[in-house]
Amino acid sequence: MKITGLNLDMVWKNKEKNFEIIEFELQDQEADLFLLPEMFSTGFCMDAAEVSDRHQESLEFLKKMAREKNAAFCGSAPVEEQGNFYNRMYFVQPDGRVDFYDKRHLFSFSGEDEVYTRGRERSIVAYKGFRILLQVCYDLRFPVFSRNNDDYDVILYVANWPEKRVGAWEHLLKARAIENLSYVFGLNRTGTDGNDLLYRESSHCFSPDGTEIARKTGDLVSAELNLSELKDFRNHFSFLNDRDAFSIQM
């Protein structure tokens, strides 16, 4: 399975412009799955009442792209639903099937927890033979929530992770791959947001042994994931069999 992520420098609070940029950047690209950053349509914004989707604008865009490219599309967007705001990560398949995950760990340092409602459930999507765990940015700091109970093969992280803390982002992505014997693809944004925070190119894909397997060209980062190689690695290094048993209070 080929995954291609777009290191997008989002236009602050401008959905239509961001949609145009994404279409342009991906027009000649082919992949099984295209990955977009956290809040790809607006930037990581706490003005939820102003920017949140009320008519599924971001979801409809992902559906359109999935049909046109005959590929899955995944990324998060601010969404209003029944009076609550969510940082919602969508996974849209070419046939129109939609799965989603509402970000559980809200970034209290920026006040995200005071604006958005946290999710209550993990979400694992089946696609192209892979079981894919959906995660958003700050979730990366909480390994218990992403612990592999032999129920997934890939973790996708979409993020707005600033340059000043990017070392943690890169180290933790690699750690999540090694400890969970899983592929980990982490896509970060680039550029400067409306809060004057700087984001440098820092997207990665790690194999289960911690090897970087991403290839980067311009604003695109791609990786080929091999399910049979993953199974062989897990059979040889059966570390998941020794994992601790625990439950998570949601």
Side-chain angles (χ1 to χ4, degrees), residues 196-244:
D196 291 325
L197 289 173
L198 175 65
Y199 302 82
R200 71 168 170 84
E201 196 288 311
S202 56
S203 297
H204 299 277
C205 186
F206 294 106
S207 67
D209 67 355
T211 300
E212 172 73 80
I213 61 171
R215 303 184 308 276
K216 300 180 181 182
T217 306
D219 293 328
L220 301 175
V221 54
S222 298
E224 294 277 355
L225 278 53
N226 187 304
L227 189 58
S228 63
E229 289 181 3
L230 174 64
K231 290 179 178 178
D232 288 344
F233 186 86
R234 287 177 170 175
N235 286 335
H236 184 70
F237 298 105
S238 54
F239 304 141
L240 287 178
N241 293 340
D242 301 324
R243 66 188 181 275
D244 296 309

Side-chain angles (χ1 to χ4, degrees), residues 4 31 41 109 124 151 159 167 189 198 207 221:
T4 294
S41 55
F109 188 77
I124 297 174
D151 54 358
R189 67 158 292 168
L198 175 65
S207 67
V221 54

Side-chain angles (χ1 to χ4, degrees), residues 29-42:
Q29 302 302 316
E30 294 184 0
D32 299 300
L33 167 61
F34 289 98
L35 194 59
L36 303 173
E38 179 184 24
M39 293 197 185
F40 68 88
S41 55
T42 63

Side-chain angles (χ1 to χ4, degrees), residues 46-129:
M46 296 303 100
D47 298 325
E50 176 185 353
V51 302
S52 291
D53 289 353
R54 292 179 171 82
H55 305 289
Q56 299 188 331
E57 303 97 304
S58 300
L59 176 58
E60 290 303 317
F61 172 74
L62 294 178
K63 287 181 177 179
K64 170 180 174 290
M65 293 296 292
R67 288 194 305 270
E68 292 179 356
K69 303 292 287 185
N70 192 31
F73 270 75
C74 182
S76 94
V79 175
E80 181 179 6
E81 185 175 274
Q82 298 181 343
N84 293 318
F85 301 108
Y86 298 92
N87 187 344
R88 179 164 292 175
M89 186 177 184
Y90 290 113
F91 191 104
V92 181
Q93 300 193 28
D95 63 3
R97 172 173 172 167
V98 177
D99 293 278
F100 70 88
Y101 160 68
D102 290 330
K103 184 179 180 181
R104 173 173 171 80
H105 298 97
L106 301 177
F107 192 44
S108 57
F109 188 77
S110 71
E112 185 183 16
D113 60 323
E114 298 176 0
V115 178
Y116 293 91
T117 299
R118 75 172 185 166
R120 296 289 180 178
E121 298 180 1
R122 293 207 321 177
S123 181
I124 297 174
V125 178
Y127 181 64
K128 296 285 185 180

